[in-house]
Amino acid sequence: MKDNLAFIDRTVFKKGNILFFFFLIACFFSRLDLQIFFIDIFSHLGFQILIGGILLFFILLFLKRFWASVICIFVCIVFTADILSSCNHCNAVLKDRSQIRNKLRLISFNISYENPVENFENIREMILSEKPDIVQFQEFSPQMQDKIKTLGSIFPYSTELNKPKGPFDSLILSKHPLTNTKVDDNHVVITNLILNEAEISIVGVHLLTGGTKKNFNNALQQISYLKTIVSNTNKNLILLGDLNMTSTSKRFAKFLKETNLYTYTSYKNITSTWPAFMPDFLGIQIDHILFSNNFKMVDKKTSNSFGSVHRPLIVELSY
C-alpha cells in the first residue's frame, strides 16, 4: 500500500505533474465532438488551453523537468496545427478590396437581460456611429425592448418589434425592406431582406446554454433545426446570433461544413465577444455572423459592451 501511494505521489503530484496531466486531458477532450455537456466545454476553450500549455512549458523548465517540458511544447505544436486546420470554412475574407461590389453591414449584440436601460443611449450612439444595415439583438428585457423601439426612425423594418419577446428570442432591425418573416418556438427568427434587387435570407438565433445539461441538449436540437432551415434555403443566406460555440470547437467546424456556411477567424485580430470584462486574448468569440459562399467578409470587429457581458460583433460583408 505504501509503495502504491509513493508511486502516485511521484507520478501525479511531484513538481507540476498534476498540471501536466490536466493539460494533456484538456487537450484530448477539446478535440472531441461527443455531444457530452462537460466535455463540450473544453472544445470551446482551445485558445485558452494553448496559452495554458505555453505557460506550463516555462513552469516545467523552471522546475527542471526537461522531458516533460519537451512533451508539453510538442503537444502545443500539434494542438495548434489541429486548431488552425480544423475549420476549413473560417477563412472567407476578401483580400482584394478592389473586388468589393455590394456591401452589407451587420451588428449582432447580446444585450444581457439584466442590463440597465440607462445604458441604451450609449448603445444607440454606437449603432449610429457604425451605420449598420441590419442589427440583431438578443437577451433584452421588456424595458430595453421599449428603448429599442425608438430606433424605428432609423430602421423602419423589423421582425415583430411590437410583440413581447422572451430572453432567448432575437429581434432584427433593418434599414431595408423585410419580407416573409417567421418567428418560431426554437428561438429562431427567419426573414428575407431585399437589397440591390437581391433577396437575402436572414436567420437570427440564440442557442441555449446556461450551464445545464438540459439547455445543452436543447441547443443540439436547435442546431439540427438550423441545418434543416439552411438546407431548404436556395437564396443568399446570413445566420447571426449568440451561438455559444467558438471557432476552435469541432462542433462549430462540423456545423459550418454540414450547412456550407462560412465565416472568418483571425488569431492576429482577435474578436472575443464574451465575457466582456476579460481582455480579448483571454476571452472567446461565441457570437457569430455566418454566411453562404457568395459572401466574403470585408471587416470584422467588436465594440464596447455597454453594460452587457457580451461585446457587440460588427461585420461588413461583400456580395
Side-chain angles (χ1 to χ4, degrees), residues 246-259:
T246 71
S247 59
T248 65
S249 163
K250 292 286 189 179
R251 177 156 61 92
F252 182 73
K254 182 180 178 181
F255 176 74
L256 291 180
K257 183 178 180 180
E258 292 181 348
T259 56

Side-chain angles (χ1 to χ4, degrees), residues 123-156:
I123 296 173
R124 178 187 176 91
E125 289 302 314
M126 179 273 293
I127 292 172
L128 292 177
S129 65
E130 293 295 341
K131 300 178 181 178
D133 299 284
I134 296 285
V135 182
Q136 181 217 22
F137 294 111
Q138 310 117 61
E139 286 196 35
F140 44 86
S141 65
Q143 295 78 17
M144 192 68 81
Q145 184 174 349
D146 288 337
K147 291 290 185 179
I148 292 173
K149 291 176 183 178
T150 64
L151 294 171
S153 59
I154 307 166
F155 301 93

Side-chain angles (χ1 to χ4, degrees), residues 37-91:
F37 173 61
F38 290 106
I39 293 179
D40 185 76
I41 293 173
F42 286 98
S43 70
H44 305 297
L45 301 175
F47 191 62
Q48 288 69 30
I49 292 171
L50 178 60
I51 292 174
I54 295 171
L55 293 175
L56 178 60
F57 166 72
F58 289 106
I59 292 172
L60 292 171
L61 280 181
F62 178 78
L63 295 174
K64 299 180 180 179
R65 301 291 310 284
F66 175 74
W67 285 111
S69 63
V70 169
I71 295 172
C72 181
I73 200 64
F74 175 76
V75 171
C76 285
I77 293 171
V78 173
F79 188 72
T80 301
D82 188 58
I83 287 177
L84 294 177
S85 63
S86 62
C87 190
N88 295 323
H89 286 224
C90 293
N91 55 2

Side-chain angles (χ1 to χ4, degrees), residues 153-168:
S153 59
I154 307 166
F155 301 93
Y157 307 97
S158 66
T159 56
E160 300 183 348
L161 176 59
N162 294 313
K163 291 188 177 181
K165 301 292 180 183
F168 288 101

Side-chain angles (χ1 to χ4, degrees), residues 1-19 21 65:
M1 185 66 178
K2 288 183 178 180
D3 290 341
N4 291 335
L5 292 175
F7 175 78
I8 293 173
D9 181 60
R10 288 196 307 271
T11 57
V12 178
F13 297 106
K14 181 184 177 182
K15 293 185 178 180
N17 278 353
I18 193 168
L19 292 176
F21 289 142
R65 301 291 310 284

Side-chain angles (χ1 to χ4, degrees), residues 257-293:
K257 183 178 180 180
E258 292 181 348
T259 56
N260 200 32
L261 294 178
Y262 292 80
T263 187
Y264 175 64
T265 300
S266 170
Y267 294 103
K268 293 181 180 178
N269 181 26
I270 299 173
T271 49
S272 299
T273 59
W274 182 90
F277 59 83
M278 298 284 281
D280 265 349
F281 70 95
L282 289 178
I284 55 179
Q285 183 186 330
I286 59 176
D287 303 271
H288 297 274
I289 295 177
L290 314 179
F291 40 86
S292 50
N293 59 6

Side-chain angles (χ1 to χ4, degrees), residues 70-213:
V70 169
I71 295 172
C72 181
I73 200 64
F74 175 76
V75 171
C76 285
I77 293 171
V78 173
F79 188 72
T80 301
D82 188 58
I83 287 177
L84 294 177
S85 63
S86 62
C87 190
N88 295 323
H89 286 224
C90 293
N91 55 2
V93 62
L94 187 68
K95 297 179 180 179
D96 184 1
R97 290 180 174 262
S98 66
Q99 296 181 2
I100 294 177
R101 295 166 294 168
N102 299 313
K103 291 197 298 184
L104 183 63
R105 195 166 179 84
L106 308 99
I107 295 178
S108 179
F109 190 17
N110 183 323
I111 293 181
S112 294
Y113 197 80
E114 303 298 330
N115 197 347
V117 293
E118 291 79 11
N119 290 322
F120 182 78
E121 285 307 311
N122 291 327
I123 296 173
R124 178 187 176 91
E125 289 302 314
M126 179 273 293
I127 292 172
L128 292 177
S129 65
E130 293 295 341
K131 300 178 181 178
D133 299 284
I134 296 285
V135 182
Q136 181 217 22
F137 294 111
Q138 310 117 61
E139 286 196 35
F140 44 86
S141 65
Q143 295 78 17
M144 192 68 81
Q145 184 174 349
D146 288 337
K147 291 290 185 179
I148 292 173
K149 291 176 183 178
T150 64
L151 294 171
S153 59
I154 307 166
F155 301 93
Y157 307 97
S158 66
T159 56
E160 300 183 348
L161 176 59
N162 294 313
K163 291 188 177 181
K165 301 292 180 183
F168 288 101
D169 289 334
S170 291
L171 183 61
I172 295 174
L173 308 183
S174 173
K175 290 181 178 178
H176 311 284
L178 299 176
T179 63
N180 300 324
T181 295
K182 175 186 175 183
V183 181
D184 61 35
D185 294 335
N186 289 289
H187 306 289
V188 176
V189 54
I190 308 166
T191 190
N192 291 331
L193 170 69
I194 308 298
L195 182 62
N196 297 327
E197 300 182 353
E199 188 174 15
I200 303 170
S201 290
I202 307 291
V203 180
V205 66
H206 187 319
L207 293 187
L208 295 175
T209 183
T212 68
K213 184 177 180 180

